[in-house]
Amino acid sequence: MANVIVIGAQWGDEGKGKITDLLSRSADVVMRYQGGVNAGHTIVVKDQTFKLHLIPSGILYPDTKCIIGSGTVIDPQVLIAELDQIESLNISSKNLLISEAAHVTMPYHRLIDKASEERRGSHKIGTTGRGIGPTYADKSERTGIRMLDLMDPQGLHEQLEWTINYKNVILEKLYNLSPIDASVVIEEYLGYAERLRPYVVDTSICIYEAIRERRNILFEGAQGTLLDLDHGTYPFVTSSNPVAGGACVGTGLGPTAIDRVIGVAKAYTTRVGEGPFPTELSGDIGEQLCSIGAEFGTTTGRKRRCGWFDAVIGRYAVRINGMDCLAITKLDVLDGLEEIKVCVAYEIDGVSTEHFPTNARKFARCRPIYKTLPGWGRSTSDCRSLEDLPPQALNYLKFLAELIEVPIAIVSLGASRDQTIIVEDPIHGPKRALLKPDGTPISLKSA
Ligand code: GDP
């Protein structure tokens, strides 16, 4: 039995969907703990492509229980469309459960999200405009609507009438927008409630029972470490906690329930939206990575900015998440390059550092210090073991593992399930140890 958290080790879009889907094979339960429909995973199974936003990737396995935890926020309209999509593909949703404590995205959240982003002008954050930030803001402000409120028609009437009155003042006075008709929204959301009612339960009980029954549980992070509200590149972050610690809060489990943390990182780096990006490539190589890697957002279709692998970020992700091992994705995207750079440290105001700066202004001044490695000049997408890889590709992986001090358990060389090298069993295999018995840092095993 192992309870595993899968997190993104960069700015999201690392290919967590594919890795979670692979690991779901050995999971009895897959649970989402944060984020909303701003997340997007693409999973390719044979010739079918699935784009999931809220439903955990485990839904593609018929016997896996899939839980949307209390730390997520739910846009019922989008969730229902997603349910319709999977059902039209003959995938059952019978194993889906939704936390009654999860907050609900309302029409005013979407309106306020877009209007406030416009109002920010050159200070915009680059949100997806799906209302996620305002939904979490209402959660903190204690004016949120939860799934359990949606299940209570009388209560919902009272609560929404008051809330929409309040939000209309903001919409009209602050943003010059038309007010919302409460009765229309109430009717719309009561319709959603009926469709979702069979799935809504107290998921903290279900997950605790799964722990007691010694089930294998996979906690599926959305977004990535650098988008974390507390530990990411604030203010260009999401409104929740994608880091491993968020899994306990967003599911209602104590930290003792977690056995290991698997990080997912691309063999290079991408970033969507605004904010500094030290290893960003603006020329031909950046364009090449973008087009070969199909770097366009699953949720918004936005073009992703591309750059070299950044080991300062990698080390930070290892530290902040307590990462035990790493899955490296999209190695194949680097196949055609003559040489590949890796950022080994930053220079900030003339001083070199290996530590990721918390201060956003300092981060904006970071210059990457690179080490250049030779490329491998041939395709890796058909490689199925480390021995199949060109020696330069293997060296590249070893270099990354040693730099960020974590073993590589999985290497992904294409979007489909079989384009994968399992170096070691990520669930029961490598576990990062911090210190030797004599207290000195351990020399960590690389790929
Ligand atoms: P996620 O949210 O972290 O799952 O990332 P996305 O799904 O937004 O983006 C990852 C994209 O890369 C998807 O289109 C995947 O199908 C694709 N992908 C995943 N792993 C690989 C890989 O190893 N190689 C290539 N070429 N594509 C991959």
Side-chain angles (χ1 to χ4, degrees), residues 8 12-20 39-44 49-52 57 220-223 264 266 268 292-299 304 328-333 411-416 419:
D13 311 316
E14 297 93 346
K16 293 177 300 296
K18 169 175 168 174
I19 301 301
T20 314
H41 294 318
T42 310
I43 300 159
V44 181
T49 299
F50 300 88
K51 288 189 188 293
L52 300 174
S57 310
E220 178 178 4
Q223 289 96 28
V264 184
K266 277 179 196 172
Y268 49 100
I292 298 175
E295 296 296 355
F296 297 92
T298 312
T299 304
R304 296 173 184 152
I328 285 280
T329 61
K330 295 195 151 185
L331 186 70
D332 55 300
V333 175
V411 182
S412 171
L413 306 146
S416 66
Q419 291 178 302

Side-chain angles (χ1 to χ4, degrees), residues 285 288 308 333-341 372-378 392:
I285 300 180
Q288 190 179 333
W308 298 118
V333 175
L334 303 181
D335 283 351
L337 298 176
E338 258 173 47
E339 49 184 37
I340 299 165
K341 290 187 181 177
T372 304
L373 285 89
W376 41 92
R378 73 169 164 94
Q392 299 89 334

Side-chain angles (χ1 to χ4, degrees), residues 20-262:
T20 314
D21 170 62
L22 272 176
L23 299 177
S24 298
R25 254 194 312 216
S26 13
D28 302 302
V29 182
V30 182
M31 186 161 190
R32 274 279 304 271
Y33 58 88
Q34 48 71 229
V37 298
N38 53 346
H41 294 318
T42 310
I43 300 159
V44 181
V45 184
K46 297 198 178 105
D47 51 359
Q48 272 188 319
T49 299
F50 300 88
K51 288 189 188 293
L52 300 174
H53 297 285
L54 255 175
I55 299 180
S57 310
I59 201 76
L60 304 182
Y61 293 90
D63 299 322
T64 306
K65 192 160 270 181
C66 287
I67 308 182
I68 302 179
S70 58
T72 63
V73 294
I74 295 175
D75 185 329
Q77 194 182 14
V78 181
L79 177 57
I80 289 169
E82 209 164 299
L83 281 170
D84 289 343
Q85 184 209 329
I86 63 160
E87 281 166 4
S88 75
L89 296 164
N90 283 328
I91 297 166
S92 168
S93 62
K94 71 174 180 0
N95 289 325
L96 180 70
L97 296 173
I98 302 169
S99 168
E100 60 181 6
H103 280 247
V104 181
T105 298
M106 306 298 296
Y108 46 80
H109 291 134
R110 285 189 294 267
L111 290 170
I112 290 173
D113 198 0
K114 287 187 187 128
S116 72
E117 186 76 342
E118 262 170 43
R119 190 60 72 83
R120 282 170 174 269
S122 62
H123 295 282
K124 71 177 181 204
I125 294 169
T127 77
T128 57
R130 305 278 163 125
I132 309 299
T135 312
Y136 277 114
D138 277 6
K139 176 177 177 174
S140 309
E141 205 200 8
R142 274 106 4 124
T143 52
I145 307 288
R146 297 194 286 175
M147 289 304 291
L148 56 89
D149 300 316
L150 219 58
M151 300 299 130
D152 165 19
Q154 182 57 35
L156 187 71
H157 262 276
E158 285 163 23
Q159 211 179 341
L160 265 184
E161 265 171 21
W162 179 87
T163 310
I164 290 180
N165 262 339
Y166 170 57
K167 296 292 174 183
N168 276 342
V169 177
I170 296 170
L171 289 173
E172 289 184 281
K173 301 269 190 278
L174 190 60
Y175 296 118
N176 272 330
L177 294 171
S178 310
I180 287 178
D181 184 335
S183 60
V184 173
V185 175
I186 293 167
E187 207 180 307
E188 180 188 342
Y189 275 69
L190 286 176
Y192 298 148
E194 284 326 297
R195 174 77 198 275
L196 295 177
R197 189 179 295 282
Y199 305 101
V200 178
V201 293
D202 181 346
T203 55
S204 70
I205 297 175
C206 311
I207 198 69
Y208 190 59
E209 275 170 3
I211 297 271
R212 284 163 42 126
E213 287 165 9
R214 305 186 69 74
R215 305 270 177 217
N216 292 313
I217 305 168
L218 201 64
F219 299 93
E220 178 178 4
Q223 289 96 28
T225 302
L226 292 187
L227 294 176
D228 187 272
L229 182 59
D230 290 86
H231 303 287
T233 45
Y234 192 89
F236 305 107
V237 291
T238 195
S239 317
S240 59
N241 291 110
V243 296
C248 291
V249 180
T251 57
L253 276 178
T256 46
I258 309 299
D259 295 300
R260 64 183 59 217
V261 179
I262 302 175

Side-chain angles (χ1 to χ4, degrees), residues 377-403:
R378 73 169 164 94
S379 169
T380 54
S381 54
D382 291 330
C383 297
R384 295 295 175 267
S385 69
L386 290 184
E387 293 71 45
D388 290 346
L389 286 175
Q392 299 89 334
L394 193 55
N395 275 343
Y396 181 70
L397 293 175
K398 281 186 173 163
F399 185 68
L400 299 190
E402 274 157 22
L403 255 183

